[in-house]
Amino acid sequence: MATGPASETNPAPAAAAADGDDVLLRVENLVKYFPIKGTGLVHEKEYVRAVDGVSLSIRRGRTFGIVGETGCGKSTLARCVARLHDVTSGRIVFDGQDITQLSQRRMRPLRREIQMIFQDPIGSLNPRRRVGSIIGDPFAIHHLASGSERKRRVQELMERVGLNPEHYNRFPAEFADLQADFGLTYVFIAHDLSVVRHVSNSIGVMYLGKVTEIAPADELFTVPRHPYTGALLSAVPVPNPDLSDQRQQIILAGDVPSPILPPSGCRFHPRCPKAAPVCVAEDPPLEPRLGDGPEHPAACHLPMAEGENLADFRPSISERERVVEVDGSLLPDGAEPQDIAGALPARGEGGTP
């Protein structure tokens, strides 16, 4: 996703205090639940907790990467920020303006400033239309240019991004130049941490609808604090074969729990090598750990110290103690999803692996 006038992040409590002219986007406790049909005779409505209390403050001029396993909520978060989805609760402030509840008509002028750029060109572009026609659509939709002027501006844009056969390998450099020239902010979403590192100034890690860690890109790779981040980094290829042989990949137990009935406390605890009773009982706040600065918060009761190896740890609680799920997917009559967000009691033990 790209926004016009550019992204570095702080977690939301700090972000609220750090607001200034350099803050382009602020997300406060964003929640997005999707209703699904219930089961059983009563057919109560259930909800998929796609995004569950995410807070970010994104500054102009840089690229913020978001990583996590499939289903962690990163794409839903981006669609909510772009107002392609209505939010269940929370607040989105873009360039000082609260856009959370803006109508489609009032959002229309902002579509020039907040845009999604999809990864798959086959799914995003009409193969029956010419490239010039596709690129020219925004000029027509927003009444910015027509006729020969539109063609001229489209050709200029194509030249700016190097759409010439001899320049196809220069895209990363052109990417940086465009950001500086046009004052762009990027939210870059991907599964591959190594790719995100090369294009991002800061990186946020998401797991099961929540942000687990945020840090400057290089710092995240050298001193990860959350065990989930450490596990993800252990799978990133290392170009040096000697270092690669010395490193032990962390294989997480089980699958990602259901976003309909997520675990209580830290949502990563059923798969975490460092899991302890506190991880089941309490949801850890996103805040700096082990002396880190405000730009590096992590949501973990037992953060990783520098040089720690996750492979050396074993959970201090049994598997049975690690499967407590949150109740709240079935709402009382007349209740709305936002009535339960962030304040849910624990449910009895289930069967998450």
Side-chain angles (χ1 to χ4, degrees):
M1 185 178 71
T3 61
S7 120
E8 187 138 20
T9 69
N10 283 328
D19 269 5
D21 292 341
D22 62 336
V23 174
L24 180 65
L25 176 71
R26 192 170 74 250
V27 176
E28 299 175 353
N29 198 29
L30 187 68
V31 174
K32 178 59 182 177
Y33 289 175
F34 292 100
I36 60 175
K37 290 183 178 180
T39 58
L41 297 177
V42 291
H43 298 291
E44 289 110 327
K45 187 178 290 186
E46 293 182 321
Y47 293 88
V48 174
R49 300 164 177 234
V51 178
D52 207 357
V54 168
S55 297
L56 296 169
S57 182
I58 301 181
R59 293 191 170 95
R60 306 171 192 268
R62 303 208 180 175
T63 299
F64 178 56
I66 301 179
V67 297
E69 293 172 281
T70 298
C72 71
K74 53 189 184 294
S75 296
T76 300
L77 172 62
R79 289 176 180 273
C80 288
V81 168
R83 286 299 318 280
L84 300 180
H85 289 322
D86 290 332
V87 304
T88 301
S89 65
R91 191 164 175 252
I92 305 167
V93 179
F94 175 75
D95 205 13
Q97 180 182 4
D98 189 337
I99 67 171
T100 315
Q101 301 296 334
L102 288 187
S103 66
Q104 291 300 313
R105 181 182 62 82
R106 294 182 63 193
M107 274 297 299
R108 189 179 180 89
L110 291 175
R111 297 296 179 201
R112 305 180 189 179
E113 308 297 332
I114 307 174
Q115 299 178 15
M116 298 282 289
I117 304 172
F118 296 97
Q119 299 178 46
D120 180 12
I122 302 300
S124 306
L125 304 178
N126 187 337
R128 298 183 179 181
R129 299 183 61 196
R130 297 179 185 273
V131 171
S133 175
I134 295 172
I135 298 175
D137 273 348
F139 292 102
I141 292 170
H142 296 293
H143 308 291
L144 298 176
S146 61
S148 60
E149 174 64 12
R150 184 193 307 169
K151 181 178 180 180
R152 183 188 67 80
R153 295 181 68 173
V154 167
Q155 289 175 331
E156 284 183 353
L157 287 175
M158 293 176 67
E159 185 178 359
R160 289 301 297 264
V161 299
L163 288 180
N164 291 311
E166 64 269 27
H167 291 162
Y168 70 95
N169 281 325
R170 293 176 55 187
F171 180 71
E174 295 292 341
F175 183 97
D177 290 343
L178 288 173
Q179 187 169 37
D181 291 348
F182 292 102
L184 299 176
T185 299
Y186 292 102
V187 179
F188 187 82
I189 298 174
H191 300 279
D192 192 331
L193 259 171
S194 59
V195 173
V196 173
R197 180 184 190 180
H198 285 298
V199 301
S200 303
N201 302 104
S202 297
I203 299 174
V205 182
M206 288 189 68
Y207 184 81
L208 206 61
K210 288 182 173 287
V211 173
T212 58
E213 185 167 3
I214 298 172
D218 289 339
E219 191 170 328
L220 188 81
F221 274 72
T222 54
V223 284
R225 296 304 187 195
H226 201 284
Y228 179 58
T229 308
L232 291 179
L233 290 175
S234 74
V236 175
V238 176
N240 187 321
D242 294 330
L243 293 178
S244 181
D245 291 341
Q246 296 172 11
R247 191 178 61 174
Q248 186 171 358
Q249 183 174 349
I250 307 301
I251 306 298
L252 297 176
D255 298 320
V256 179
S258 169
I260 302 174
L261 287 173
S264 63
C266 174
R267 294 187 174 182
F268 184 60
H269 83 256
R271 307 173 70 195
C272 183
K274 299 186 74 174
V278 66
C279 306
V280 181
E282 301 178 15
D283 187 7
L286 184 66
E287 61 186 22
R289 310 280 174 168
L290 303 181
D292 291 334
E295 74 286 350
H296 189 173
C300 183
H301 295 297
L302 302 170
M304 296 172 57
E306 186 172 358
E308 271 189 358
N309 185 356
L310 278 179
D312 297 333
F313 290 89
R314 294 294 181 271
S316 62
I317 52 178
S318 68
E319 182 178 345
R320 180 175 175 81
E321 294 174 296
R322 298 172 65 179
V323 297
V324 177
E325 294 174 331
V326 168
D327 191 5
S329 63
L330 305 183
L331 302 181
D333 290 342
E336 295 297 329
Q338 56 264 37
D339 297 333
I340 63 167
L344 301 171
R347 179 182 172 153
E349 294 175 349
T352 304

mmCIF file of all heavy atoms in Angstrom, residues 197-219:
data_model
loop_
_atom_site.group_PDB
_atom_site.id
_atom_site.type_symbol
_atom_site.label_atom_id
_atom_site.label_comp_id
_atom_site.label_asym_id
_atom_site.label_seq_id
_atom_site.Cartn_x
_atom_site.Cartn_y
_atom_site.Cartn_z
ATOM 1 N N ARG A 197 13.117 -6.846 4.602
ATOM 2 C CA ARG A 197 14.277 -6.151 5.183
ATOM 3 C C ARG A 197 14.942 -5.229 4.180
ATOM 4 O O ARG A 197 15.368 -4.122 4.528
ATOM 5 C CB ARG A 197 15.290 -7.185 5.683
ATOM 6 C CG ARG A 197 16.534 -6.549 6.297
ATOM 7 C CD ARG A 197 17.571 -7.589 6.688
ATOM 8 N NE ARG A 197 18.644 -7.010 7.478
ATOM 9 C CZ ARG A 197 19.678 -7.698 7.941
ATOM 10 N NH1 ARG A 197 19.768 -9.005 7.690
ATOM 11 N NH2 ARG A 197 20.614 -7.107 8.658
ATOM 12 N N HIS A 198 15.019 -5.652 2.931
ATOM 13 C CA HIS A 198 15.752 -4.875 1.929
ATOM 14 C C HIS A 198 15.010 -3.608 1.515
ATOM 15 O O HIS A 198 15.644 -2.665 1.030
ATOM 16 C CB HIS A 198 16.035 -5.748 0.702
ATOM 17 C CG HIS A 198 17.130 -6.741 0.921
ATOM 18 N ND1 HIS A 198 18.433 -6.382 1.213
ATOM 19 C CD2 HIS A 198 17.120 -8.096 0.909
ATOM 20 C CE1 HIS A 198 19.172 -7.465 1.356
ATOM 21 N NE2 HIS A 198 18.403 -8.520 1.176
ATOM 22 N N VAL A 199 13.701 -3.563 1.677
ATOM 23 C CA VAL A 199 12.952 -2.392 1.211
ATOM 24 C C VAL A 199 12.366 -1.565 2.340
ATOM 25 O O VAL A 199 11.818 -0.491 2.094
ATOM 26 C CB VAL A 199 11.818 -2.804 0.249
ATOM 27 C CG1 VAL A 199 12.366 -3.536 -0.956
ATOM 28 C CG2 VAL A 199 10.757 -3.638 0.953
ATOM 29 N N SER A 200 12.486 -2.018 3.602
ATOM 30 C CA SER A 200 11.798 -1.354 4.713
ATOM 31 C C SER A 200 12.773 -0.660 5.651
ATOM 32 O O SER A 200 13.884 -1.141 5.889
ATOM 33 C CB SER A 200 10.972 -2.370 5.518
ATOM 34 O OG SER A 200 10.046 -3.037 4.695
ATOM 35 N N ASN A 201 12.333 0.452 6.202
ATOM 36 C CA ASN A 201 13.070 1.107 7.273
ATOM 37 C C ASN A 201 12.735 0.490 8.625
ATOM 38 O O ASN A 201 13.605 0.314 9.474
ATOM 39 C CB ASN A 201 12.754 2.607 7.311
ATOM 40 C CG ASN A 201 13.077 3.291 6.006
ATOM 41 O OD1 ASN A 201 12.190 3.609 5.229
ATOM 42 N ND2 ASN A 201 14.360 3.493 5.734
ATOM 43 N N SER A 202 11.459 0.194 8.825
ATOM 44 C CA SER A 202 10.991 -0.449 10.050
ATOM 45 C C SER A 202 10.078 -1.605 9.675
ATOM 46 O O SER A 202 9.482 -1.618 8.598
ATOM 47 C CB SER A 202 10.238 0.540 10.942
ATOM 48 O OG SER A 202 11.075 1.591 11.363
ATOM 49 N N ILE A 203 9.951 -2.570 10.584
ATOM 50 C CA ILE A 203 9.160 -3.767 10.318
ATOM 51 C C ILE A 203 8.257 -4.055 11.513
ATOM 52 O O ILE A 203 8.702 -3.989 12.669
ATOM 53 C CB ILE A 203 10.061 -4.984 10.044
ATOM 54 C CG1 ILE A 203 10.936 -4.741 8.809
ATOM 55 C CG2 ILE A 203 9.226 -6.257 9.853
ATOM 56 C CD1 ILE A 203 11.963 -5.840 8.556
ATOM 57 N N GLY A 204 6.995 -4.386 11.225
ATOM 58 C CA GLY A 204 6.070 -4.850 12.240
ATOM 59 C C GLY A 204 5.748 -6.312 11.995
ATOM 60 O O GLY A 204 5.540 -6.728 10.849
ATOM 61 N N VAL A 205 5.731 -7.112 13.048
ATOM 62 C CA VAL A 205 5.431 -8.543 12.953
ATOM 63 C C VAL A 205 4.036 -8.767 13.529
ATOM 64 O O VAL A 205 3.744 -8.330 14.638
ATOM 65 C CB VAL A 205 6.469 -9.385 13.715
ATOM 66 C CG1 VAL A 205 6.169 -10.873 13.570
ATOM 67 C CG2 VAL A 205 7.880 -9.075 13.225
ATOM 68 N N MET A 206 3.181 -9.452 12.757
ATOM 69 C CA MET A 206 1.823 -9.734 13.207
ATOM 70 C C MET A 206 1.615 -11.232 13.407
ATOM 71 O O MET A 206 2.179 -12.051 12.676
ATOM 72 C CB MET A 206 0.786 -9.210 12.205
ATOM 73 C CG MET A 206 0.638 -7.706 12.186
ATOM 74 S SD MET A 206 -0.787 -7.160 11.186
ATOM 75 C CE MET A 206 -2.164 -7.766 12.209
ATOM 76 N N TYR A 207 0.793 -11.546 14.404
ATOM 77 C CA TYR A 207 0.427 -12.936 14.659
ATOM 78 C C TYR A 207 -1.018 -12.983 15.139
ATOM 79 O O TYR A 207 -1.365 -12.350 16.138
ATOM 80 C CB TYR A 207 1.338 -13.561 15.721
ATOM 81 C CG TYR A 207 1.060 -15.036 15.962
ATOM 82 C CD1 TYR A 207 1.574 -16.007 15.105
ATOM 83 C CD2 TYR A 207 0.283 -15.448 17.038
ATOM 84 C CE1 TYR A 207 1.316 -17.360 15.318
ATOM 85 C CE2 TYR A 207 0.026 -16.794 17.255
ATOM 86 C CZ TYR A 207 0.544 -17.751 16.397
ATOM 87 O OH TYR A 207 0.281 -19.083 16.607
ATOM 88 N N LEU A 208 -1.855 -13.673 14.426
ATOM 89 C CA LEU A 208 -3.242 -13.916 14.804
ATOM 90 C C LEU A 208 -3.977 -12.623 15.173
ATOM 91 O O LEU A 208 -4.615 -12.508 16.205
ATOM 92 C CB LEU A 208 -3.304 -14.914 15.963
ATOM 93 C CG LEU A 208 -4.596 -15.730 16.093
ATOM 94 C CD1 LEU A 208 -4.823 -16.571 14.851
ATOM 95 C CD2 LEU A 208 -4.557 -16.614 17.329
ATOM 96 N N GLY A 209 -3.838 -11.618 14.294
ATOM 97 C CA GLY A 209 -4.599 -10.388 14.458
ATOM 98 C C GLY A 209 -3.962 -9.319 15.306
ATOM 99 O O GLY A 209 -4.515 -8.222 15.434
ATOM 100 N N LYS A 210 -2.803 -9.599 15.899
ATOM 101 C CA LYS A 210 -2.146 -8.627 16.771
ATOM 102 C C LYS A 210 -0.715 -8.358 16.315
ATOM 103 O O LYS A 210 -0.078 -9.216 15.699
ATOM 104 C CB LYS A 210 -2.126 -9.131 18.217
ATOM 105 C CG LYS A 210 -3.489 -9.113 18.909
ATOM 106 C CD LYS A 210 -3.366 -9.576 20.342
ATOM 107 C CE LYS A 210 -4.677 -9.413 21.098
ATOM 108 N NZ LYS A 210 -4.988 -8.015 21.402
ATOM 109 N N VAL A 211 -0.212 -7.178 16.655
ATOM 110 C CA VAL A 211 1.193 -6.857 16.416
ATOM 111 C C VAL A 211 2.000 -7.385 17.584
ATOM 112 O O VAL A 211 1.713 -7.073 18.750
ATOM 113 C CB VAL A 211 1.396 -5.341 16.271
ATOM 114 C CG1 VAL A 211 2.879 -5.001 16.201
ATOM 115 C CG2 VAL A 211 0.695 -4.823 15.025
ATOM 116 N N THR A 212 3.011 -8.201 17.300
ATOM 117 C CA THR A 212 3.830 -8.784 18.360
ATOM 118 C C THR A 212 5.153 -8.038 18.564
ATOM 119 O O THR A 212 5.725 -8.093 19.654
ATOM 120 C CB THR A 212 4.141 -10.258 18.062
ATOM 121 O OG1 THR A 212 4.821 -10.353 16.797
ATOM 122 C CG2 THR A 212 2.849 -11.070 17.994
ATOM 123 N N GLU A 213 5.642 -7.361 17.524
ATOM 124 C CA GLU A 213 6.911 -6.646 17.654
ATOM 125 C C GLU A 213 7.048 -5.634 16.530
ATOM 126 O O GLU A 213 6.579 -5.864 15.412
ATOM 127 C CB GLU A 213 8.087 -7.630 17.610
ATOM 128 C CG GLU A 213 9.451 -6.993 17.861
ATOM 129 C CD GLU A 213 10.556 -8.006 18.114
ATOM 130 O OE1 GLU A 213 10.276 -9.232 18.035
ATOM 131 O OE2 GLU A 213 11.690 -7.587 18.404
ATOM 132 N N ILE A 214 7.685 -4.512 16.841
ATOM 133 C CA ILE A 214 8.036 -3.487 15.856
ATOM 134 C C ILE A 214 9.474 -3.077 16.125
ATOM 135 O O ILE A 214 9.875 -2.924 17.283
ATOM 136 C CB ILE A 214 7.125 -2.243 15.977
ATOM 137 C CG1 ILE A 214 5.659 -2.602 15.704
ATOM 138 C CG2 ILE A 214 7.574 -1.142 15.008
ATOM 139 C CD1 ILE A 214 4.702 -1.451 15.999
ATOM 140 N N ALA A 215 10.248 -2.888 15.062
ATOM 141 C CA ALA A 215 11.629 -2.463 15.248
ATOM 142 C C ALA A 215 12.193 -1.931 13.942
ATOM 143 O O ALA A 215 11.705 -2.281 12.862
ATOM 144 C CB ALA A 215 12.495 -3.620 15.735
ATOM 145 N N PRO A 216 13.235 -1.086 14.005
ATOM 146 C CA PRO A 216 13.988 -0.768 12.789
ATOM 147 C C PRO A 216 14.462 -2.065 12.149
ATOM 148 O O PRO A 216 14.783 -3.038 12.843
ATOM 149 C CB PRO A 216 15.160 0.070 13.314
ATOM 150 C CG PRO A 216 14.657 0.662 14.600
ATOM 151 C CD PRO A 216 13.755 -0.380 15.193
ATOM 152 N N ALA A 217 14.507 -2.098 10.827
ATOM 153 C CA ALA A 217 14.748 -3.342 10.109
ATOM 154 C C ALA A 217 16.016 -4.058 10.572
ATOM 155 O O ALA A 217 15.990 -5.251 10.893
ATOM 156 C CB ALA A 217 14.803 -3.070 8.607
ATOM 157 N N ASP A 218 17.133 -3.356 10.615
ATOM 158 C CA ASP A 218 18.387 -4.004 11.000
ATOM 159 C C ASP A 218 18.342 -4.498 12.440
ATOM 160 O O ASP A 218 18.868 -5.567 12.770
ATOM 161 C CB ASP A 218 19.562 -3.045 10.807
ATOM 162 C CG ASP A 218 19.872 -2.803 9.337
ATOM 163 O OD1 ASP A 218 19.472 -3.637 8.501
ATOM 164 O OD2 ASP A 218 20.507 -1.774 9.025
ATOM 165 N N GLU A 219 17.700 -3.719 13.323
ATOM 166 C CA GLU A 219 17.625 -4.101 14.737
ATOM 167 C C GLU A 219 16.764 -5.344 14.928
ATOM 168 O O GLU A 219 17.059 -6.193 15.779
ATOM 169 C CB GLU A 219 17.072 -2.934 15.549
ATOM 170 C CG GLU A 219 17.190 -3.122 17.053
ATOM 171 C CD GLU A 219 16.851 -1.859 17.823
ATOM 172 O OE1 GLU A 219 17.114 -0.758 17.299
ATOM 173 O OE2 GLU A 219 16.315 -1.977 18.933
#
